[in-house]
Amino acid sequence: MQDPITNAKRAAGEKAAEFIRPGMIVGLGTGSTAYWAIQKIGALVKDGLDILAIATSEASAALARELKIPLTTFAETQRIDIDIDGADEVSENLDVIKGGGGALLREKIVAYHSKQLIIIADEHKYVPTLGRFPLAVEVIPFGWEATGSKLQSLGCRPLLRAKGEEIFITDNGNYIIDCSFGNIKEPQLINDALHNIPGVVETGLFVQMAHKVVLGYEDGRTEVRER
């Protein structure tokens, strides 16, 4: 029997898969909620759904291959019809923090090139204001200490992400600095300020990018909110 949080994540992921139509190019997100969407998409493909997919991480690409979901690349197409991805936080106006899984750069590239971004999350990720969850900022390794110092000057508490005893390395060969801001009342201003720092590759702030948010509840219900 699934625990209530997993049940909520699965409900959201499976609901989002209902928006996929034959012939679409589909972005496959990364993380524990996106996992359930990919599982559902794999089942639909097994039943005959004809789609192609672009994965946002090596982990999601591996899962897609395991489920026989046909993959494509940006070298073959720049058109993504729908992107289904998870979130660490979703605000009431549908701004999003992502990056807990470390795939924020590829996730944002896929989201940016998608006609429709559907964010999936369990009910506990829905918050009045972003910022309780640390904001992931992907930085190049060279000079990361100086980059981190500049991040701190914006009012956050920066922490270099580790994996065990080692520094966490993204699929792109970069580092992640997790920035605890507290409440982020003006996410676009913070995002712009972060991008002005040399060494910052991308941030986990997805400001006004989500077209739909599918919330999953512990009892299996779902709710779709649209921008």
Side-chain angles (χ1 to χ4, degrees), residues 157-186:
R157 187 174 71 253
L159 179 65
L160 183 67
R161 187 177 296 186
K163 186 176 182 180
E165 298 297 318
E166 305 294 328
I167 295 174
F168 177 87
I169 306 294
T170 71
D171 286 345
N172 315 297
N174 295 319
Y175 294 170
I176 287 181
I177 298 178
D178 290 306
C179 300
S180 298
F181 278 98
N183 286 344
I184 300 177
K185 295 181 180 179
E186 298 182 281

Side-chain angles (χ1 to χ4, degrees), residues 11-108:
E14 293 184 348
K15 176 64 178 179
E18 294 179 7
F19 293 100
I20 298 173
R21 299 291 178 264
M24 281 186 166
I25 309 293
V26 180
L28 303 179
T30 296
S32 58
T33 310
Y35 167 86
W36 290 108
I38 297 172
Q39 287 285 349
K40 181 62 176 180
I41 293 167
L44 293 172
V45 168
K46 185 177 180 180
D47 288 340
L49 178 65
D50 178 26
I51 62 164
L52 291 173
I54 292 182
T56 57
S57 65
E58 297 301 327
S60 291
L63 179 59
R65 285 190 289 268
E66 179 184 323
L67 297 170
K68 304 296 191 296
I69 300 172
L71 294 172
T72 187
T73 67
F74 280 111
E76 297 169 334
T77 182
Q78 283 82 56
R79 172 179 68 88
I80 302 175
D81 297 293
I82 192 170
D83 177 27
I84 300 174
D85 210 341
D88 299 308
E89 283 188 338
V90 181
S91 72
E92 292 177 344
N93 61 349
L94 307 191
D95 290 330
V96 177
I97 282 182
K98 294 177 51 54
L104 63 148
L105 175 55
R106 296 192 189 187
E107 287 174 330
K108 190 168 280 188

Side-chain angles (χ1 to χ4, degrees), residues 104-123:
L104 63 148
L105 175 55
R106 296 192 189 187
E107 287 174 330
K108 190 168 280 188
I109 291 171
V110 172
Y112 178 83
H113 291 285
S114 298
K115 293 179 182 177
Q116 183 175 194
L117 171 61
I118 299 179
I119 293 294
I120 52 178
D122 67 77
E123 59 182 297

